[in-house]
Amino acid sequence: MTSPTSEQLLAAHPRASTDPDDRARASVDRSGFIPQSFADGVVFAQDIDDVVLTMKLASEHGVKIVPRGAGTGLAAGSCAQAGEVVLDLSAMNQILSLDPVQGIAVVQPGVINAAVNHAAGEHGLFYAPDPASTAICSIGGNIATNAGGMWCAKYGVTRESVLSLLVVLPDGQLLRTGRRTIKGVAGYDMNALMIGSEGTLGIVVEATLRLRPKPKHTATLVSYFPDEAAAASAASAVIAAGLTPSVLELMDGKTLSAVDSALGTDHHSRGGALLLAQTDGYGAHLEMQALQDAIEPLAAHSELAQDPQHAEALVEARRQAIPSMEKLGTVSICDIGVPRNRLAEAIAGLQRIEAERGVSIFIIAHAADGNLHPIIVVPEGQSITTGSPKAALADMFYLAKELGGTLTGEHGIGLLKQDWLPEEVGETSLQLQRRLRAVFDPQGILNPGKAI
Amino acid sequence: MTSPTSEQLLAAHPRASTDPDDRARASVDRSGFIPQSFADGVVFAQDIDDVVLTMKLASEHGVKIVPRGAGTGLAAGSCAQAGEVVLDLSAMNQILSLDPVQGIAVVQPGVINAAVNHAAGEHGLFYAPDPASTAICSIGGNIATNAGGMWCAKYGVTRESVLSLLVVLPDGQLLRTGRRTIKGVAGYDMNALMIGSEGTLGIVVEATLRLRPKPKHTATLVSYFPDEAAAASAASAVIAAGLTPSVLELMDGKTLSAVDSALGTDHHSRGGALLLAQTDGYGAHLEMQALQDAIEPLAAHSELAQDPQHAEALVEARRQAIPSMEKLGTVSICDIGVPRNRLAEAIAGLQRIEAERGVSIFIIAHAADGNLHPIIVVPEGQSITTGSPKAALADMFYLAKELGGTLTGEHGIGLLKQDWLPEEVGETSLQLQRRLRAVFDPQGILNPGKAI
């Protein structure tokens, strides 16, 4: 049942679709969340004017708008339902300019993360935030969730690589945040406020990204450990030794098996858990030597990449971890963060939750940041957002909290993690945040029910 | 004339002073701004309860509060006048805890920046934001302005090194922002919103800082160039070569003369402008070699530090630049930012302004960030915030704007730069920012007239 207000918007916008397939596709993301109903329609924006028109119509008629990029979100932040219209930005996918001297790219929100890196690479530059979904996720979604990835261990998350945004506000006005310079403190940090706001404050229609010079050298190591506890201790040893790896990824035994099944590799035969480490820069090889020294006492077996192809193959195993699990059933990718020296405790806690709740949990982690992705997998067709999986998700939050950590390191709150947000940020903060939201969106029409 | 509402607060607070010397001292900072009158009184906070009581009394009676740390601000952000009460946090200067394993320090706002680095250094760690005023500026002030410094070329500004804050809101409530983990995206980025807000949204009473491992090696180079244009071109060549120096500071010929006079050195005899460069990490020496190669064609003479003492002496010349100028008269340290490849144009523009306005302008710059400090010096006793100096300040803003830059890279807007803020951020943004401010401070009692 399409709402009458949605109908007015959809009738008035030349890019609107009410095709049932479009509506079904636009109502889900990759979180495993299954909405009870589908969105009333979809606007396929081709340019800024389409977005402005959408928001003008939406604010005029009081229509709820769910912005959407590539739809690869993991917290149901872009899921939609009846009474809502999806604003699909995936066709706004151009790199508008790339200035190699300034190290700046100006892009549309629908551009795929990997495409930015491909274009930057031609000039010896790279874009640091690299979610595992780099090949399929969009920059707009990365900005909405302040996405991280493997390289942010050294180079920071999306916030540290987005200089400026052009945003369409809920009433259709245009807002510019940030600036093209590296530093700047004129006025409040509206840019940081927008980044990670999960499409609730405005719609990003253009982003000015900071590119960095590609490291001169990179060294890549894979080490196998008897078990997850040893791998976590090794990760802590790397941090304690004062090293700054550009990548430090942990994969548990179950994940190694999943990857082996999917890719035909034999990682699990070499150890019960794995650490993938990279160092980069002029001292990459010296720093890698120090890293090897730090983890040596704990490792069962290590393999240093001998050439870039070998290194790429090792990294690829990590990138394929989640796709490999998706072959085993429906996945819910959780995202807790803990202080970096408490990784081993977090893993032990997750294994306890797995046993107690009788759910299957695979663990990968951005170990240098203390950001863990416990991945719940249920057989295809079973619900992953209710029952035992949901109870396990709650347990994970309380585990993170107990260890001084957070509910979400880089995926966002979306719909899935609403229940625990007040407990994490506190009532005073949440009330303030709701009032900030109302400053941008007094009618409450932008991505309602999501984020805060 | 003390306002009756201030009197009520000052009478009720056990830490209040109305001593004329206290009031005079607390009404000025290091910007050169001379207030027409002095604050009604000063509260010398010893602990959080003192701050909470101040804000409860202030909101009850409608008293305007000016928070103050070490008073080293350069934009008149902590200057105060009649009708206002200064809340002095300088006695809250303890490092509450330092966890070397997590790489975290919890500090009070009045702690001096260099004291944090001293304490961190004992554990092989450092705190990256290092304003030139490190020996005298407080962490609370650094947070209020999102301060930078020399090392932020590689390690980012204050925002990238402050994980969490405890804040007293204008109504006396306590707010916690951020978290102890490296990453986290639960809710809006209230931490970033607070950082750089110049004491207008709340009063920081505790900060959780991220410490980083001290670099394994550091290489330090001083290069002399025929003139400023050549030095700026060399800085651009360093960036274009894809290098990531941890320090890249430019000093013009006038500054070299001032330093030579003050320290008895002979920098100016070796060249008309200077670049100070550091590289660090495992590849420090290799990267320095590449840096030397990049600037070689432009440099008249270079000196590579042979040991840490030598390096420290070279860095000290830069740290003493501003104190050296202060011996010549009253200084106003401006703070424009430009895209990094436009440094030479910025310097040429500043030299033009100097000639046209007949004011003396010294130039130092964080060259890797495109952040310039043109420093106006007038004879002692002359006004630096009116007449030609003010006209020159306006010219500098328009120069920065023309080059795609900003009014302030790291000092803030304070009182001094109010005139140009609307033009930089735009009316839409400014209106939104004022409404955000009102969410925190509906009565408008926190640092009124400053920042936005």
Side-chain angles (χ1 to χ4, degrees):
Chain A
M1 257 255 309
T2 304
S3 86
T5 54
S6 296
E7 268 174 22
Q8 287 175 290
L9 184 150
L10 293 163
H13 203 300
R15 305 290 185 188
S17 163
T18 53
D19 175 87
D21 286 348
D22 286 341
R23 291 166 50 213
R25 265 195 303 267
S27 296
V28 296
D29 61 10
R30 291 172 77 95
S31 64
F33 179 82
I34 299 162
Q36 302 276 310
S37 57
F38 291 138
D40 292 344
V42 186
V43 174
F44 292 98
Q46 304 292 311
D47 57 28
I48 294 176
D49 287 345
D50 284 342
V51 177
V52 169
L53 177 61
T54 303
M55 294 320 301
K56 283 193 169 156
L57 290 167
S59 50
E60 184 186 336
H61 300 294
V63 182
K64 296 173 179 167
I65 300 294
V66 178
R68 179 185 183 82
T72 58
L74 296 168
S78 62
C79 287
Q81 61 186 353
E84 298 172 342
V85 169
V86 173
L87 175 54
D88 184 312
L89 299 145
S90 59
M92 291 175 66
N93 63 356
Q94 297 304 300
I95 296 173
L96 300 173
S97 65
L98 196 157
D99 180 336
V101 181
Q102 284 193 39
I104 281 178
V106 179
V107 307
Q108 291 186 312
V111 70
I112 297 300
N113 180 291
V116 174
N117 254 316
H118 181 78
E122 291 178 7
H123 302 279
L125 301 167
F126 78 110
Y127 177 66
D130 69 324
S133 53
T134 174
I136 52 172
C137 65
S138 68
I139 293 292
N142 294 171
I143 291 166
T145 56
N146 192 15
M150 296 203 283
W151 295 330
C152 61
K154 182 166 181 178
Y155 296 102
V157 291
T158 296
R159 190 188 71 173
E160 278 77 68
S161 287
V162 173
L163 296 175
S164 170
L165 296 172
L166 185 63
V167 176
V168 176
L169 294 171
D171 63 3
Q173 278 195 92
L174 280 169
L175 171 74
R176 171 76 64 185
T177 68
R179 49 192 64 76
R180 285 177 78 94
T181 55
I182 301 294
K183 286 158 69 180
V185 292
Y188 298 148
D189 195 341
M190 303 291 276
N191 206 50
L193 185 61
M194 204 56 69
I195 296 167
S197 65
E198 302 190 36
T200 64
L201 301 180
I203 295 175
V204 172
V205 290
E206 191 185 291
T208 303
L209 309 179
R210 177 179 183 172
L211 308 175
R212 294 166 201 270
K214 268 192 193 173
K216 186 77 175 173
H217 305 289
T218 301
T220 305
L221 179 83
V222 162
S223 285
Y224 300 86
F225 300 86
D227 54 29
E228 290 82 9
S233 298
S236 296
V238 169
I239 302 303
L243 303 169
T244 310
S246 50
V247 168
L248 191 64
E249 296 289 314
L250 184 149
M251 293 163 74
D252 75 350
K254 289 180 71 165
T255 302
L256 295 182
S257 295
V259 169
D260 287 344
S261 298
L263 303 186
T265 48
D266 60 351
H267 295 289
H268 205 181
S269 69
R270 281 174 260 172
L274 173 157
L275 268 189
L276 168 70
Q278 284 192 330
T279 53
D280 69 16
Y282 279 84
H285 300 295
L286 289 168
E287 189 164 11
M288 182 53 83
Q289 187 55 59
L291 191 148
Q292 285 185 272
D293 293 346
I295 67 174
E296 180 94 59
L298 294 152
H301 167 71
S302 290
E303 206 174 298
L304 190 66
Q306 297 306 315
D307 57 54
Q309 289 70 37
H310 188 190
E312 201 36 62
L314 298 174
V315 172
E316 191 56 18
R318 168 61 185 83
R319 290 214 184 274
Q320 290 303 321
I322 290 166
S324 300
M325 289 170 213
E326 287 172 335
K327 295 193 173 157
L328 303 175
T330 302
V331 308
S332 174
I333 307 172
C334 311
D335 177 37
I336 58 173
V338 298
R340 298 180 294 177
N341 58 331
R342 309 200 74 172
L343 197 59
E345 290 167 87
I347 290 173
L350 291 170
Q351 290 170 337
R352 212 163 48 234
I353 292 168
E354 174 171 49
E356 283 170 12
R357 294 293 178 184
V359 293
S360 187
I361 302 179
F362 297 68
I363 303 171
I364 54 184
H366 305 305
D369 290 325
N371 184 196
L372 296 104
H373 293 316
I375 297 156
I376 303 175
V377 181
V378 299
E380 208 68 59
Q382 283 187 21
S383 167
I384 201 151
T385 53
T386 57
S388 301
K390 175 152 190 186
L393 193 64
D395 293 344
M396 289 177 195
F397 166 57
Y398 288 107
L399 171 67
K401 190 163 188 264
E402 193 188 304
L403 296 174
T406 177
L407 178 55
T408 175
E410 58 184 11
H411 293 171
I413 296 295
L415 282 175
L416 285 190
K417 299 170 196 166
Q418 290 287 330
D419 289 359
W420 308 288
L421 181 67
E423 222 169 319
E424 174 159 338
V425 304
E427 204 47 50
T428 303
S429 182
L430 199 54
Q431 290 304 330
L432 270 174
Q433 293 186 45
R434 288 191 177 130
R435 286 159 61 202
L436 294 183
R437 182 173 184 166
V439 165
F440 286 83
D441 183 17
Q443 289 178 281
I445 55 173
L446 251 191
N447 222 3
K450 313 284 173 53
I452 64 162
Chain B
M1 258 254 309
T2 305
S3 85
T5 53
S6 295
E7 268 175 20
Q8 286 176 293
L9 184 151
L10 293 163
H13 202 301
R15 305 289 186 190
S17 162
T18 53
D19 176 87
D21 286 348
D22 286 342
R23 291 166 49 211
R25 264 196 301 270
S27 296
V28 295
D29 61 10
R30 291 172 77 93
S31 63
F33 180 81
I34 299 162
Q36 303 276 311
S37 57
F38 291 139
D40 292 343
V42 186
V43 173
F44 292 98
Q46 304 292 312
D47 56 28
I48 294 175
D49 288 346
D50 284 342
V51 178
V52 169
L53 177 61
T54 304
M55 295 319 301
K56 281 192 171 158
L57 289 167
S59 49
E60 186 186 332
H61 300 295
V63 182
K64 293 172 181 169
I65 300 294
V66 177
R68 178 184 183 84
T72 59
L74 297 168
S78 63
C79 287
Q81 60 185 356
E84 298 174 341
V85 169
V86 173
L87 176 54
D88 184 313
L89 299 145
S90 59
M92 292 177 66
N93 63 357
Q94 299 303 301
I95 295 173
L96 301 173
S97 66
L98 196 159
D99 181 335
V101 181
Q102 283 193 39
I104 281 177
V106 180
V107 307
Q108 292 186 313
V111 69
I112 297 300
N113 179 292
V116 174
N117 254 318
H118 182 79
E122 292 177 6
H123 302 280
L125 301 168
F126 78 109
Y127 177 65
D130 68 326
S133 54
T134 173
I136 50 172
C137 65
S138 68
I139 294 291
N142 295 170
I143 291 166
T145 56
N146 192 16
M150 295 202 284
W151 295 330
C152 61
K154 182 166 178 176
Y155 296 102
V157 290
T158 297
R159 190 187 72 174
E160 278 78 68
S161 285
V162 172
L163 295 175
S164 171
L165 296 171
L166 185 63
V167 175
V168 176
L169 294 172
D171 63 1
Q173 279 194 90
L174 281 168
L175 171 73
R176 172 75 67 185
T177 67
R179 47 191 65 76
R180 286 177 78 92
T181 53
I182 302 293
K183 286 158 67 178
V185 292
Y188 297 147
D189 194 341
M190 302 291 275
N191 206 50
L193 185 60
M194 204 57 71
I195 297 167
S197 65
E198 302 191 37
T200 63
L201 302 180
I203 295 174
V204 172
V205 290
E206 191 186 290
T208 303
L209 309 180
R210 177 179 185 175
L211 308 175
R212 295 167 201 267
K214 268 191 193 174
K216 185 79 174 172
H217 305 289
T218 301
T220 305
L221 179 83
V222 163
S223 285
Y224 300 86
F225 299 85
D227 54 28
E228 291 81 11
S233 298
S236 296
V238 169
I239 302 303
L243 302 168
T244 310
S246 50
V247 169
L248 191 64
E249 296 289 315
L250 183 148
M251 293 162 73
D252 74 350
K254 289 181 72 165
T255 303
L256 295 182
S257 294
V259 169
D260 287 343
S261 299
L263 304 186
T265 47
D266 60 350
H267 293 290
H268 204 178
S269 70
R270 280 175 261 170
L274 174 158
L275 267 189
L276 168 70
Q278 285 192 328
T279 53
D280 69 15
Y282 281 82
H285 300 294
L286 289 169
E287 189 164 11
M288 183 52 83
Q289 188 54 60
L291 191 148
Q292 286 185 272
D293 293 346
I295 66 173
E296 180 94 57
L298 294 152
H301 166 72
S302 290
E303 205 175 300
L304 190 64
Q306 296 307 315
D307 56 56
Q309 287 70 35
H310 189 191
E312 199 38 61
L314 297 175
V315 172
E316 192 56 18
R318 168 61 185 84
R319 290 212 184 276
Q320 291 303 323
I322 291 167
S324 301
M325 289 171 213
E326 286 172 337
K327 295 190 175 160
L328 304 176
T330 301
V331 308
S332 175
I333 307 172
C334 311
D335 177 37
I336 58 172
V338 299
R340 299 181 293 178
N341 57 330
R342 309 201 74 172
L343 198 58
E345 289 167 88
I347 290 173
L350 290 170
Q351 290 169 337
R352 211 164 48 232
I353 292 168
E354 175 172 48
E356 283 170 11
R357 294 292 178 186
V359 294
S360 187
I361 301 178
F362 298 68
I363 303 170
I364 53 183
H366 305 305
D369 291 325
N371 184 194
L372 296 104
H373 294 315
I375 297 156
I376 303 174
V377 182
V378 299
E380 209 70 56
Q382 284 187 20
S383 167
I384 200 149
T385 53
T386 56
S388 298
K390 175 149 188 186
L393 194 64
D395 292 345
M396 289 177 195
F397 166 58
Y398 289 107
L399 171 67
K401 190 162 187 263
E402 192 188 303
L403 296 174
T406 177
L407 180 55
T408 176
E410 57 186 11
H411 293 172
I413 296 293
L415 281 176
L416 285 193
K417 300 171 197 165
Q418 288 289 330
D419 289 359
W420 309 289
L421 181 66
E423 222 169 319
E424 174 159 338
V425 304
E427 205 46 50
T428 303
S429 183
L430 199 55
Q431 290 304 330
L432 270 172
Q433 293 187 46
R434 290 193 176 129
R435 287 157 63 199
L436 293 182
R437 182 174 185 165
V439 165
F440 285 84
D441 183 16
Q443 289 179 280
I445 56 175
L446 251 191
N447 221 5
K450 315 283 175 54
I452 65 160

